[in-house]
Amino acid sequence: MTALPKHLINSPSCSHAPENGTVASARPRCARPTPGAASGGCAFDGAQVVLYPVADAAHLVHGPIGCTALNWNNRGSKSDYGDFHRLGFTTDLQEIDIVMGGEAKLMQAARELVARYTPKALFLYNTCVGAMIGDDLAHVAKQLGQELGIPVIPVDSPGFVGSKNYGNKLAGEALLQHVIGTGEPAHTTATDICLIGEYNIAGELEAIEPLLRESGIRLLSRLTGNASFQELTWAHRARASMVVCSQALIKLAEQMHERYGIPFFEGSFYGFGATAAALRTFGTLLGDASVQEQIEATIARHEAATREALAPYLPALAGKRVFLYSGGVKSWSMVAQLEELGMEVIGTSTRKSTEADIARIRQQFEGTQKILMEKGDGKAILDIIEREGADMLLAGGRNLYTAIKGKIPFVDVNQERLFAYAGYTGQVELARRLHATLTSPVWDLAKTAPCWEVRS
């Protein structure tokens, strides 16, 4: 593989960056995977998280079949442009390839894939094995691009180079170096924007895009949820951008600002306040008075309708105590979203949060003794829930069985979830799911002593 791009680590907005660019820093670095414990969290996995939502492009993994199988379809991104993100393509490197080299096999696999499926573009991912045997992914991609007549993008992301978050950054770098700026839209407007780090989990963009249209804002490019490959190529023509998942792609936003002059901000669409703030910030950055008026009208109209739709659920949710074990942008944005529903958040996780995320959490929790859990296992989570008297756990699917063991109501809010919680309609959907879970009779039944423990 090529040398690691050090500027990705030295991003001033990255919580893992050395202070003032110096090595001697007390700030945490991007962690390298622990041998035997890297599954689901290596740089290769992180690169897939960012790029797989581009569903009209094929994604070919150059490595053992396990690298594809263990990460296949582990996120709920939806797309209107194809289903290649639901398929797994791999070169399935074997022992003989390690001895003889795998570039010929990669070329053959790419030719067969393109001939059979005719994708708009092809992403080639390097894994640990491909990198260790010295296969030149960039050279192969260049040759394939000339031969096949479609964009072929090398993603040099072997798992051993760093954490999942570093893989996010490597994917952003691949987009910046090989995709963004290579195409032009049919036309541009003064209100063109770009969303960065929004992956359309459970179809959340269906709740966001109508708000933008009603506000007179044109979503020119999505990086990368529900994006076509073509729209990635003209993202450089946006007039403003919003970073939704700052931990993943803040560096890409910085570089697009430096290279193309696109102003950006970090925001969220979870909850009334965050959605309104995101729309208003776009209005400010675009500097169009008529757009700002449309934004205020959109906010007023949707907030009124949403409060009416929420009314049946709020009495059952009011005062319920919740522990939120998520990460990234949700670690602070969902706190506000739950509080807007009248619930009390007793604590949240900071394990995948940037320093800006943590600052927002502290501001949200100011004047309280609420919990900021950096990292915890199932036992630690259950201990907090019992000690603090929480009524519910909101976390990812990996903690489903933690909740079952603790016999506590649970709602999945991470990437595997089936329901969209962004925007105004997402607020109603979240309230509906919380209400259904909290009022389910199964929890009373689960806490009942089994018949063999009940004395006659």
Side-chain angles (χ1 to χ4, degrees):
M1 67 174 294
T2 55
L4 290 175
K6 293 182 179 179
H7 65 278
L8 296 182
I9 297 177
N10 292 331
S11 164
S13 299
C14 176
S15 62
H16 294 169
E19 288 179 340
N20 302 321
T22 60
V23 176
S25 168
R27 298 172 73 176
R29 295 292 196 90
C30 290
R32 289 183 180 278
T34 302
S39 178
C42 66
F44 163 65
D45 185 36
Q48 281 191 309
V49 166
V50 172
L51 298 174
Y52 256 57
V54 186
D56 61 349
H59 303 264
L60 177 57
V61 178
H62 186 46
I65 195 169
C67 293
T68 301
L70 292 175
N71 293 285
W72 175 76
N73 202 22
N74 64 355
R75 296 177 72 82
S77 295
K78 291 188 175 180
S79 177
D80 297 326
Y81 293 96
D83 59 1
F84 288 128
H85 63 318
R86 296 286 181 242
L87 302 177
F89 300 106
T90 176
T91 51
D92 186 21
L93 289 177
Q94 304 287 323
E95 288 87 345
I96 189 65
D97 303 313
I98 295 172
V99 176
M100 304 300 292
E103 291 184 9
K105 195 170 189 178
L106 177 58
M107 298 277 287
Q108 180 184 356
R111 292 185 188 114
E112 183 178 344
L113 190 162
V114 172
R116 185 169 178 180
Y117 293 96
T118 59
K120 300 290 185 184
L122 178 62
F123 287 95
L124 302 181
Y125 298 81
N126 212 358
T127 63
C128 296
V129 174
M132 286 191 289
I133 63 178
D135 286 350
D136 189 343
L137 208 69
H139 177 69
V140 171
K142 186 176 181 181
Q143 277 193 309
L144 285 171
Q146 294 170 348
E147 177 184 329
L148 301 175
I150 62 171
V152 180
I153 298 94
V155 186
D156 226 352
S157 56
F160 62 74
V161 301
S163 65
K164 183 177 180 177
N165 176 243
Y166 190 63
N168 298 152
K169 292 178 169 59
L170 290 173
E173 183 73 3
L175 289 176
L176 189 72
Q177 299 302 332
H178 301 286
V179 181
I180 296 171
T182 62
E184 293 294 339
H187 70 280
T188 59
T189 72
T191 62
D192 288 345
I193 63 140
C194 173
L195 292 180
I196 299 175
E198 161 55 53
Y199 304 123
N200 198 31
I201 300 296
E204 289 192 327
L205 279 168
E206 293 176 13
I208 298 169
E209 292 191 32
L211 298 176
L212 297 173
R213 284 195 293 271
E214 288 178 41
S215 302
I217 298 171
R218 182 191 183 208
L219 182 52
L220 179 70
S221 185
R222 294 158 285 203
L223 300 176
T224 53
N226 200 30
S228 66
F229 179 81
Q230 197 173 26
E231 72 181 72
L232 303 181
T233 67
W234 58 58
H236 61 295
R237 295 302 182 194
R239 302 298 180 94
S241 65
M242 170 177 161
V243 186
V244 180
C245 185
S246 57
Q247 179 80 333
L249 291 180
I250 188 71
K251 184 62 185 179
L252 177 60
E254 288 176 1
Q255 291 178 294
M256 289 176 68
H257 181 231
E258 293 169 6
R259 185 176 293 189
Y260 303 112
I262 304 172
F264 69 94
F265 67 100
E266 297 176 51
S268 159
F269 290 106
Y270 291 118
F272 289 107
T275 301
L279 293 174
R280 285 175 177 137
T281 307
F282 270 130
T284 302
L285 291 179
L286 295 172
D288 187 320
S290 66
V291 169
Q292 292 170 354
E293 288 180 9
Q294 290 182 71
I295 287 172
E296 293 304 326
T298 301
I299 293 170
R301 184 166 56 249
H302 283 276
E303 284 200 0
T306 304
R307 292 190 192 284
E308 187 176 341
L310 286 173
Y313 308 112
L314 296 184
L317 303 182
K320 295 296 182 184
R321 294 166 63 82
V322 181
F323 182 58
L324 177 62
Y325 189 73
S326 185
V329 66
K330 290 193 294 296
S331 62
W332 58 270
S333 58
M334 288 203 87
V335 172
Q337 190 177 23
L338 292 165
E339 290 179 347
E340 288 173 354
L341 296 174
M343 307 181 83
E344 181 184 355
V345 181
I346 64 166
T348 186
S349 165
T350 60
R351 61 198 171 103
K352 293 180 182 177
S353 303
T354 64
E355 290 195 346
D357 292 330
I358 295 172
R360 291 188 180 99
I361 297 170
R362 293 190 189 283
Q363 185 178 10
Q364 197 83 19
F365 287 170
E366 189 174 7
T368 71
Q369 298 296 318
K370 294 182 178 180
I371 300 161
L372 273 66
M373 176 182 265
E374 185 173 349
K375 189 176 182 180
D377 54 19
K379 184 178 183 306
I381 292 172
L382 289 178
D383 286 345
I384 289 174
I385 288 171
E386 183 176 358
R387 187 179 70 238
E388 301 295 329
D391 299 296
M392 173 176 267
L393 171 64
L394 270 64
R398 294 173 190 171
N399 283 295
L400 169 63
Y401 295 102
T402 300
I404 291 176
K405 289 176 183 176
K407 301 176 183 177
I408 183 169
F410 169 83
V411 170
D412 186 351
V413 295
N414 274 11
Q415 67 268 14
E416 306 94 347
R417 68 183 183 275
L418 301 175
F419 305 101
Y421 300 139
Y424 295 106
T425 57
Q427 183 80 332
V428 178
E429 184 63 36
L430 177 62
R432 183 182 296 119
R433 295 296 155 193
L434 293 170
H435 180 273
T437 304
L438 278 169
T439 58
S440 171
V442 72
W443 305 113
D444 291 335
L445 184 63
K447 292 174 182 176
T448 303
C451 59
W452 57 86
E453 292 182 3
V454 178
R455 294 182 179 179
S456 59

